[in-house]
Amino acid sequence: MGWAMMLMLLLCLSAGAMVVQGEDPYLFFTWNVTYGTISPLGVPQQGILINGQFPGPNINSTTNNNVVVNVFNYLDEPFLLTWNGIQHRKNSWQDGTLGTNCPIPPGQNFTFHFQVKDQIGSYFYYPTTAMHRAAGGFGGLRVNSRLLIPVPYPDPEDDYTVLIGDWYSKSHSVLQTFVDSGRALGRPDGVLINGQTGKGMGSDKPLFTMKPGKTYKYRICNVGLKNSLNFRIQDHSMKLVEMEGSHTVQNMYDTLDVHVGQCYSVLVTADKEPKDYTMIASTRFTKEVISATGIISYVGSTGKASSPLPLAPEGWAWSLNQFRTFRWNLTASAARPNPQGSYHYGQINITRTIKLVNSAHRDGGKLRYAINGVSHVEPETPLKLAEYYQVPQKVFKYNVISDDPPATVENKASLEPNVVNITFRTFVEIILENHEKSPQSWHLDGYSFFAVAIEPGRWTPEKRSNYNLLDAVSRHTIQVFPKSWAAIMLTFDNAGMWNLRSELTERRYLGQQLYISVQSPEHSLRDEYNIPDNALLCGIVKDMPKPPPYSI
Ligand SMILES: *[C@@H]1O[C@H](CO)[C@@H](O)[C@H](O)[C@H]1NC(C)=O
Ligand SMILES: *[C@@H]1O[C@H](CO)[C@@H](O)[C@H](O)[C@H]1NC(C)=O
Ligand SMILES: *[C@@H]1O[C@H](CO)[C@@H](O)[C@H](O)[C@H]1NC(C)=O
Ligand SMILES: *[C@@H]1O[C@H](CO)[C@@H](O)[C@H](O)[C@H]1NC(C)=O
Ligand SMILES: *[C@@H]1O[C@H](CO)[C@@H](O)[C@H](O)[C@H]1NC(C)=O
Ligand SMILES: *[C@@H]1O[C@H](CO)[C@@H](O)[C@H](O)[C@H]1NC(C)=O
């Protein structure tokens, strides 16, 4: 064997699990995470910047690309990012939650290395540590379709990312002190579109431009902390083409409700008088409507955007009806992680039903949020590491919550790690039941699920007859309206430790989340990658010898 070849082999071996992915292109990024002053609402405040940017840089990738992001933490606190909606097949090591990764200590770096395998669509990343998301650190992440795979609409003239979200003018540390001391976040100070709120009065610089007659893609994600937002564009309707990784039936919408954590791709054609138009993102389900505006300018625009601005719908029944119009386009070809399971999900037998009930608790002035009576706390040792090092019992207990919680779980909450163990490759139904008066938004890492129903009231097995068992959209977040429930179904075929969380930052931070452990009985590389060589270690595994690696 020649020297060069030997070196190659060594390099391959040290790259570990990445060997099999060698043929797919790589995208490399180096990100410096720093504090910096930003003034999105006109008043200077501390923000979290990535390479000096707020919001952070967009990642523009294509299906099966390997994405390598070396994150340098220049904050004074541990920091971690998650890639909301990226499935990390066999690779929860890259998920960037506190249950899978040690946070990056101040002054250190960690290189995420993941493949956007068999996925397309619009996503975003954000910090999972503390209340950091309130200060920024988020940005868009798109996965374009490979050239070989047909996309069910013509190539748009351009492709725009629109990150909308509520915003608070206090720093993340002040907000953290608030919620730690039992105060709720309360109403936001504003709403932002790509880091700006818009002054209105026609004085704003355009956020986007469109050539007359051309069609543009807008990728709209709600990156905010707690408020559902309505998004609309003056005088233009939107053709919905993609939702969280699935091509949808292409209905036209004048306005879209985007709940926290959700992303939609729409097509907008510049077929109106060539002037400026206003896009609006405004809070839903709040007493006072708070909004942001941004200008879209036609090339050759002959006038400022006019008033009045279109209004958002009212009430959540409207939003529920809109949810029911969302359908998966079953005939569109697309990258799909699990085509066999996906097409006929309505015919797979359910092996387990898990009902999850969210609740809020006040205990000695402290505010906590729980699922089935357990308010999750992060152990110092990430759950995944405890499992890999075969010392889970020193860190957490499996299945502390019950699949069918008694009504009393809402009376009190215990504070402990909340880990549910689900058998590899089983088809499971999860009911998310909301007895509270506020809307919820849930997200599951590592998977797409079929969002088969949202209905008012309480779930009973008879409600299954109302499920959409044909063309529910395969996605990764779902909202649950007040005093309502939602049902999702999926096959747990992605081994790893996966976070199921409230996308509402204060609820997640105060315990409304859990982890799902999915272990392959074989501990085989076919099912799950080994711990990466650069994994940061912390807690009890810090000085433990590495267990023997998984084999083929
Ligand atoms: C990140 O920080 C390092 C060290 O301060 C600097 O050398 C590098 O140029 C920075 N990179 C970017 C993209 O800002
Ligand atoms: C994103 O990537 C695609 C595919 O490589 C490319 O065609 C497109 O121009 C890129 N867009 C931007 C904004 O960089
Ligand atoms: C930190 O960055 C260096 C390159 O500057 C890289 O070699 C190293 O692997 C990174 N550390 C981790 C833990 O990823
Ligand atoms: C679904 O996708 C197919 C195939 O690309 C396309 O021809 C069709 O128009 C789409 N259907 C709808 C209802 O959007
Ligand atoms: C599903 O369950 C039904 C009724 O118990 C049974 O007849 C059928 O064989 C099962 N189907 C599969 C694919 O296991
Ligand atoms: C997971 O649950 C199954 C069935 O309840 C059980 O047999 C198995 O031992 C559990 N695994 C762990 C790691 O707790």
Side-chain angles (χ1 to χ4, degrees), residues 427-496:
F427 188 69
V428 175
E429 170 189 47
I430 299 178
I431 312 300
L432 301 156
E433 208 170 79
N434 179 18
H435 302 171
E436 296 184 68
K437 282 184 259 170
S438 57
Q440 310 292 321
S441 182
W442 292 96
H443 164 87
L444 174 62
D445 280 351
Y447 293 94
S448 267
F449 50 70
F450 296 98
V452 295
I454 306 181
E455 288 198 6
R458 300 278 171 106
W459 180 84
T460 58
E462 293 70 46
K463 306 275 184 181
R464 288 186 182 127
S465 59
N466 300 346
Y467 287 3
N468 176 354
L469 292 180
L470 181 69
D471 58 359
V473 180
S474 172
R475 55 189 301 185
H476 57 77
T477 64
I478 189 166
Q479 73 273 18
V480 190
F481 299 102
K483 312 257 178 206
S484 301
W485 56 269
I488 63 175
M489 297 170 121
L490 68 154
T491 301
F492 279 91
D493 56 1
N494 190 12

Side-chain angles (χ1 to χ4, degrees), residues 332-377:
S333 30
R336 286 181 189 141
N338 177 15
Q340 302 86 338
S342 320
Y343 287 121
H344 302 295
Y345 67 93
Q347 286 153 36
I348 309 173
N349 288 341
I350 297 168
T351 54
R352 182 171 169 190
T353 299
I354 303 175
K355 187 163 94 179
L356 302 176
V357 179
N358 52 278
S359 53
H361 303 264
R362 285 205 173 268
D363 190 8
K366 293 268 186 213
L367 180 59
R368 292 296 300 188
Y369 295 99
I371 301 174
N372 293 5
V374 174
S375 185
H376 177 75
V377 289

Side-chain angles (χ1 to χ4, degrees), residues 30 32 51 74:
T30 302
N32 291 347
N51 292 350
Y74 291 113

Side-chain angles (χ1 to χ4, degrees), residues 388-390 523 525 529-531 545-551:
Y388 189 80
Y389 279 78
Q390 296 164 19
H523 278 209
L525 275 182
Y529 297 155
N530 276 310
I531 190 170
K546 245 182 208 169
Y550 298 162
S551 50

Side-chain angles (χ1 to χ4, degrees), residues 25-29 59-62 65-69 116 142:
Y26 278 72
L27 302 177
F28 293 97
F29 303 92
I59 293 183
N60 180 28
S61 68
T62 299
N65 281 177
N66 290 289
V67 180
V68 182
V69 192
V116 289
R142 37 174 100 150

Side-chain angles (χ1 to χ4, degrees), residues 322-336:
Q322 179 163 77
F323 166 83
R324 290 183 174 146
T325 66
F326 298 149
R327 300 286 156 132
W328 200 19
N329 184 340
L330 296 177
T331 53
S333 30
R336 286 181 189 141

